[in-house]
Amino acid sequence: MNKKVYFAGSIRGGRVDAELYRRMICHMQKTDVVLTEHVGSPELNLLERGRDRDADIYRQDMAWLRESDLLIAECTCPSLGVGYELAYAEAHGKPCHVFYDSGKTQLSAMLTGDPYFHIYPYRDPEEIFPLLDQILGNGGER
Amino acid sequence: MNKKVYFAGSIRGGRVDAELYRRMICHMQKTDVVLTEHVGSPELNLLERGRDRDADIYRQDMAWLRESDLLIAECTCPSLGVGYELAYAEAHGKPCHVFYDSGKTQLSAMLTGDPYFHIYPYRDPEEIFPLLDQILGNGGER
């Protein structure tokens, strides 16, 4: 309850799973705080904005990551940014939980091979939600 | 001359640019050492191999990254592994040079927004090779 979650999902790498990100974020927001709620928004601006404006995004995201209690990533769609965020979170000692659809993709060996990460392959997205409850410690009362 | 280069390119994220990776690696090998030559191979096994075998890949790649003098990444194809490697290289103080085709993709704000990275957008892959020579300090004698 009331954990601060950094949710990581692909933005410029591709928005094919944006609706799933939105559902995961909404589910966690029933009990906890998602610092990166915008990752699930269908109206997100995907364009590069020049290095100065992108630097504002970078600084804000890294501040949220340092402030967070844990990172939850949906990794079915490959993303440079999510890979970066996972390594940064690991370097800062944040627990990292990685979901991906094992029927759609092969996950990077930099993630499956790194024993630091908790990895959750799924076949049906509905498997994700009870696992989120477990990770966040939101048990029987719901 | 004789620098140790960690070349980063997408493997499980997609092999659409594998031939370009191979050309970049061959070019650098004329003067320098590329520790991750396999990234350009057309015969690379792309399948997950279980966490134990993937852990061997992860440990070997991170050992090469720590041993390298610099990282060169081709980032047109989004990749979780390359994003992870870039953050790891930054944390270890390795110079990082990032190439991408700006006509094909929007680069992640975690890369364009991070002032640590040297970023080289290109429109024609032929622009890459003289830049590699400059980065590696291989000048007029060639």
Side-chain angles (χ1 to χ4, degrees):
Chain A
M1 300 288 284
N2 293 318
K3 288 198 174 74
K4 290 185 201 169
V5 178
Y6 188 99
F7 179 81
S10 171
I11 298 178
R12 295 182 189 163
R15 297 294 287 167
V16 64
D17 292 322
E19 171 60 17
L20 176 59
Y21 305 159
R22 191 194 62 76
R23 286 184 62 208
M24 291 173 71
I25 290 166
C26 285
H27 185 85
M28 293 188 282
Q29 284 177 326
K30 291 177 193 163
T31 51
D32 297 270
V33 176
V34 179
L35 300 171
T36 53
E37 179 182 38
H38 63 282
V39 179
S41 165
E43 280 104 40
L44 210 52
N45 182 345
L46 308 183
L47 298 179
E48 290 179 28
R49 306 184 197 184
R51 289 201 75 170
D52 284 352
R53 276 287 293 121
D54 279 352
D56 293 339
I57 297 173
Y58 173 74
R59 276 193 295 267
Q60 176 64 77
D61 283 0
M62 293 306 100
W64 275 327
L65 190 40
R66 290 190 299 272
E67 181 190 344
S68 71
D69 296 309
L70 76 168
L71 180 149
I72 305 276
E74 210 297 325
C75 286
T76 307
C77 180
S79 158
L80 287 154
V82 174
Y84 184 95
E85 289 161 340
L86 281 161
Y88 192 99
E90 179 183 2
H92 286 76
K94 306 293 180 183
C96 291
H97 300 270
V98 173
F99 291 85
Y100 74 106
D101 187 329
S102 59
K104 289 187 181 168
T105 193
Q106 300 282 316
L107 199 62
S108 170
M110 298 304 102
L111 307 190
T112 54
D114 182 347
Y116 184 82
F117 295 129
H118 304 278
I119 310 258
Y120 307 85
Y122 64 84
R123 286 286 184 158
D124 178 340
E126 300 311 317
E127 297 168 33
I128 293 173
F129 303 96
L131 289 166
L132 289 176
D133 291 338
Q134 279 180 36
I135 291 163
L136 295 169
N138 301 321
E141 80 276 15
R142 300 180 67 200
Chain B
M1 299 287 283
N2 293 316
K3 287 199 174 72
K4 291 187 201 168
V5 177
Y6 188 99
F7 179 82
S10 171
I11 297 177
R12 295 181 189 164
R15 295 295 285 167
V16 65
D17 291 322
E19 171 58 17
L20 176 60
Y21 305 160
R22 191 194 62 74
R23 286 185 63 207
M24 292 174 70
I25 290 165
C26 286
H27 185 85
M28 293 188 282
Q29 283 177 326
K30 291 178 196 165
T31 50
D32 297 271
V33 177
V34 179
L35 300 171
T36 53
E37 180 181 39
H38 64 281
V39 178
S41 165
E43 280 102 41
L44 210 53
N45 182 343
L46 307 184
L47 298 179
E48 288 179 29
R49 307 184 195 184
R51 289 202 73 171
D52 284 352
R53 276 287 293 121
D54 279 353
D56 293 339
I57 297 172
Y58 173 75
R59 276 192 296 267
Q60 176 63 78
D61 282 359
M62 294 306 101
W64 276 327
L65 191 41
R66 291 190 299 272
E67 182 191 342
S68 70
D69 296 309
L70 76 168
L71 180 148
I72 304 277
E74 209 299 322
C75 286
T76 308
C77 180
S79 158
L80 288 155
V82 174
Y84 184 95
E85 289 161 339
L86 280 163
Y88 191 99
E90 180 183 1
H92 286 75
K94 306 292 181 185
C96 292
H97 301 270
V98 173
F99 291 84
Y100 74 106
D101 187 329
S102 58
K104 289 188 181 166
T105 192
Q106 299 283 315
L107 199 63
S108 170
M110 298 304 102
L111 308 191
T112 53
D114 181 346
Y116 185 81
F117 296 129
H118 303 277
I119 310 259
Y120 307 85
Y122 65 83
R123 286 286 183 158
D124 178 341
E126 301 311 319
E127 298 168 31
I128 294 173
F129 302 96
L131 290 166
L132 289 176
D133 291 338
Q134 279 181 36
I135 292 164
L136 294 168
N138 301 322
E141 80 279 12
R142 299 180 67 200

